[in-house]
Structure formats: C-alpha cells, structure tokens
Amino acid sequence: MKAIRGATTLSCDTAEEVRTATRELLQSIAKINGLKNDEIVCMMFSSTADIKSLYPAKAAREAGFCDCALYSSLEPDISGSLAMCIRVMVLADIDRKVKYVYLRGAKSLRKDLSDVINIALDGPAGSGKSTVSKLVAKKLDILSLDTGAMYRAVALKCINEGVDYSEKSQVDRVVENIDLRVEYGNGGQLTLLDGKDVSGDIRTSQVSMLASYVSAYPSVRAKMVSLQREIASRVSCILDGRDIGTNVLPDCLYKFFLTASPEVRAERRFKEDKLKGSTQTYEDILLEINERDAQDRNRAVAPLKCADDAVVIDTSEMTAEEVANTICERIQEKI
Ligand code: DC
C-alpha cells in the first residue's frame, strides 16, 4: 500500500471551481502515478475553512472516482496558512514508487517537489565535491553536473589551439566559438568539446592549472554560467563548483560548501592520482592545490567563496559517504 499526497488551490469559492480543481488534481495524481481506478483504496481530503461551496469528496465522486472510499474534513482556520487550499491523501494498493502532486498555488507548499530541484555544492580543489556530488545524485536520483569539467574543456581548447592564454582577446575568441556540451551516459557525465569526448583529456595537471587561470576571464565565466543555468533550469541536478551558491544559482534552496585542510586535500588527490598511474609527488600536489586555491579565491569575478546561506561541512575527518548522507539529511530536514 502506498500513500500519495497532493494539494491544489482555488481561484474563487464556487462549486464549479471546487469541481474543476479537484478533478484536475486527481487526474494528475492518477496520470503521473499510472494509477488505475481499481488500485485506489480511498481518498481523504481536507479543505481550508474558507472553502464553503462544495466538499472535495463530492467533487471527486462527480469526477468519476466512485469505487473507492471518500472522506472530507475541514482544516482549522490558521492565520498565515495558504488560502483556499484542498489537500488530499490517496491510498493506493500498489508497491511502486509514487510521486506527490502539488498544483497551482499549492506548489509553494512543497518547493522541493517542483519538477526541477537544484543543489549547489561548492568548495576548493580536493574537498571531495565531485565524489560527494555523484553519491548524492545517485541517492536522490538526479544528475550530477561537474562545472569544473566545463572550465577544463575551455582550457583544453586553449592548449589545442595554441593560444596565448594571458591574452584576453585570444581567450575571448576561443569561448566565443566553443562547441561545448555535457551529456550523460552509463558511466556519468561526458564532456564533449567540438563533438569529441574529452572527459579523460581534461584531467591532466596542466589543464587543472590553466582551467583555474582562464576561469578568471569574464567572457569564460559568462558563457559557462549561462550554460550551467540553462542545464539547471531543465533538469534536477547537483552542481559542484566554486561559485554555484553565490553566482550561478543564488536563489537555490540547498547550498553546501565543503572544506578540508590543504594537506588533507593534497593527500586525497595524491592517492587518487597514484591509482591512475600518476608520478606526481605529494609535495607537488600540495603546491598546486595552494596555488589553485589562491587563484580561485582571489580572482575579481565570482571567486571561490562560501555563500552566506550555505551549510559548511568540514570533510577532513569524514568519508565521502558520510558527507553525502549529511547533505541528504539536511535536504530532508528542509523539505
Ligand atoms: O573542480 P575542478 O578542479 O575540476 O575545477 C577546475 C578549475 O575550474 C578550478 O580551479 C576553478 C575553475 N572553476 C570555476 O572557476 N568555477 C566553477 N564553478 C568550477 C570550476
């Protein structure tokens, strides 16, 4: 047995409006959850005290939901609560995953259930963002967008085209003509540069340093931020980066900032890279991390910075799984 919650609001208190809104709500719940009439066991409605024209249960019966038990109750008149609101709990004899449905003004009751949810995950290099982002995405069944990969692709294009990256006009020309796309395959995010999958090529230390450098150019940031906003507006995703909570999605409801000491971050990178066959020493990596931190924090446009309303998590003593669980718990608390 599953319980499906839903709610909607009326534009005026007339019997016709109660019929229309109730029918719309129930048909949406049935459609979105693939419910057949004989799977619905009962429907329990409550309506706010300002609705006096018709019981939603009667409207449900009139809309053709006749084979299940129906019940309506009146909510207390609570100041500040959403006006002219009908809420429902549908009990269905099913085992599959269900989706709650909030329509019209009632969408404001559950912003987390709006079609698209975005999570901002910022922090310095090596703080665990990309591992944690993938874990959270898996737990919440959303996509993980690695925004650093996009800056890395710009850096790779600069290298491939042999541009003098200290020349703003040359980098401007590169981003103006860049064909950069992000796609998702079985293994996760693919970064496509001019139609070619460069997901592996962008992970070198040369690209890391140059990505940090070119990401300070306003033209590069403007292009990347607009691509990121466009993706975030279409699909539910967790975006990991440096400026997601402060600049890309300042109105995002869920913001997290990961920290860890430079030594811990360098140690993590060292172990990760060693597994991939890298010969870079721990000392080299620590130096690179400190340089990148300084570059990312001190640039004039959208520097690496914790948003005032972000939850800060020091990951030094935590596993990625623990950090991902903490993030999911904090999101759950807010819902
Ligand atoms: O997360 P990463 O190491 O892959 O990022 C590479 C560089 O890209 C990073 O040093 C700074 C830049 N970057 C950025 O400026 N803003 C982002 N949202 C993500 C990355």
Side-chain angles (χ1 to χ4, degrees):
M1 184 81 70
K2 286 285 167 79
I4 309 171
R5 290 284 285 119
T8 190
T9 52
L10 307 183
S11 56
C12 55
D13 180 25
T14 64
E16 203 39 49
E17 175 67 353
V18 175
R19 284 189 191 98
T20 306
T22 306
R23 189 183 335 106
E24 186 183 88
L25 176 64
L26 297 178
Q27 286 177 348
S28 298
I29 289 177
K31 184 159 180 242
I32 289 169
N33 289 286
L35 278 186
K36 296 195 211 82
N37 260 0
D38 62 1
E39 289 174 327
I40 303 173
V41 176
C42 71
M43 292 179 177
M44 288 168 277
F45 294 91
S46 68
S47 43
T48 45
D50 49 3
I51 300 177
K52 300 180 196 307
S53 51
L54 191 73
Y55 290 118
K58 189 153 191 293
R61 178 106 38 232
E62 288 177 12
F65 294 91
C66 314
D67 301 328
C68 57
L70 296 165
Y71 171 79
S72 280
S73 65
L74 191 67
E75 290 179 21
D77 190 6
I78 293 174
S79 101
S81 68
L82 189 62
M84 284 202 272
C85 182
I86 294 173
R87 293 174 171 84
V88 69
M89 166 106 81
V90 176
L91 290 188
D93 193 8
I94 53 172
D95 277 331
R96 54 187 183 269
K97 213 170 159 181
V98 296
K99 282 200 173 141
Y100 294 179
V101 179
Y102 286 74
L103 302 178
R104 303 185 182 192
K107 281 186 180 167
S108 68
L109 295 170
R110 293 292 301 263
K111 292 202 180 76
D112 58 301
L113 295 180
S114 69
D115 293 343
V116 169
I117 89 154
N118 296 137
I119 303 165
L121 183 63
D122 290 305
S127 54
K129 295 182 311 284
S130 71
T131 313
V132 168
S133 172
K134 285 181 202 134
L135 285 173
V136 172
K138 197 159 176 219
K139 285 174 195 286
L140 301 181
D141 197 15
I142 58 176
L143 291 182
S144 144
L145 178 63
D146 171 3
T147 63
M150 301 167 83
Y151 292 94
R152 285 170 180 268
V154 176
L156 183 64
K157 191 163 165 96
C158 289
I159 295 170
N160 290 348
E161 299 200 350
V163 305
D164 176 357
Y165 52 84
S166 61
E167 273 296 320
K168 182 182 168 302
S169 60
Q170 294 197 25
V171 178
D172 286 354
R173 214 170 22 253
V174 166
V175 271
E176 206 176 297
N177 301 313
I178 201 166
D179 169 14
L180 174 59
R181 276 174 295 132
V182 168
E183 287 185 2
Y184 288 86
N186 282 343
Q189 177 173 330
L190 298 178
T191 307
L192 303 177
L193 177 62
D194 298 323
K196 183 177 166 236
D197 180 7
V198 294
S199 312
D201 301 348
I202 56 174
R203 295 292 154 196
T204 66
S205 147
Q206 184 195 11
V207 172
S208 299
M209 284 312 290
L210 189 53
S212 171
Y213 189 92
V214 297
S215 65
Y217 285 117
S219 62
V220 175
R221 297 216 74 79
K223 181 92 174 216
M224 298 305 110
V225 169
S226 113
L227 280 171
Q228 290 154 19
R229 285 187 182 144
E230 193 272 320
I231 296 170
S233 71
R234 275 190 292 114
V235 284
S236 293
C237 52
I238 172 164
L239 298 89
D240 80 82
R242 305 289 189 287
D243 63 333
I244 310 299
T246 50
N247 182 44
V248 180
L249 303 174
D251 296 330
C252 177
L253 282 180
Y254 311 108
K255 295 184 186 176
F256 298 89
F257 192 89
L258 304 189
T259 61
S261 70
E263 289 73 20
V264 168
R265 292 188 277 127
E267 182 70 31
R268 282 183 189 152
R269 271 284 145 88
F270 176 65
K271 284 187 182 150
E272 251 173 51
D273 292 357
K274 205 168 165 194
L275 284 178
K276 292 183 203 151
S278 161
T279 52
Q280 250 193 325
T281 63
Y282 165 81
E283 286 73 23
D284 283 346
I285 295 178
L286 181 60
L287 200 70
E288 186 185 302
I289 279 197
N290 281 327
E291 262 181 61
R292 269 221 283 160
D293 274 5
Q295 217 164 252
D296 293 345
R297 281 185 214 278
N298 297 321
R299 66 177 175 230
V301 193
L304 163 65
K305 192 167 161 264
C306 178
D308 293 340
D309 51 349
V311 175
V312 180
I313 305 174
D314 184 341
T315 70
S316 304
E317 306 284 321
M318 295 168 84
T319 63
E321 185 69 31
E322 285 168 344
V323 180
N325 286 340
T326 305
I327 289 178
C328 291
E329 277 159 24
R330 296 301 290 255
I331 291 172
Q332 211 59 45
E333 279 166 19
K334 271 200 163 185
I335 286 175

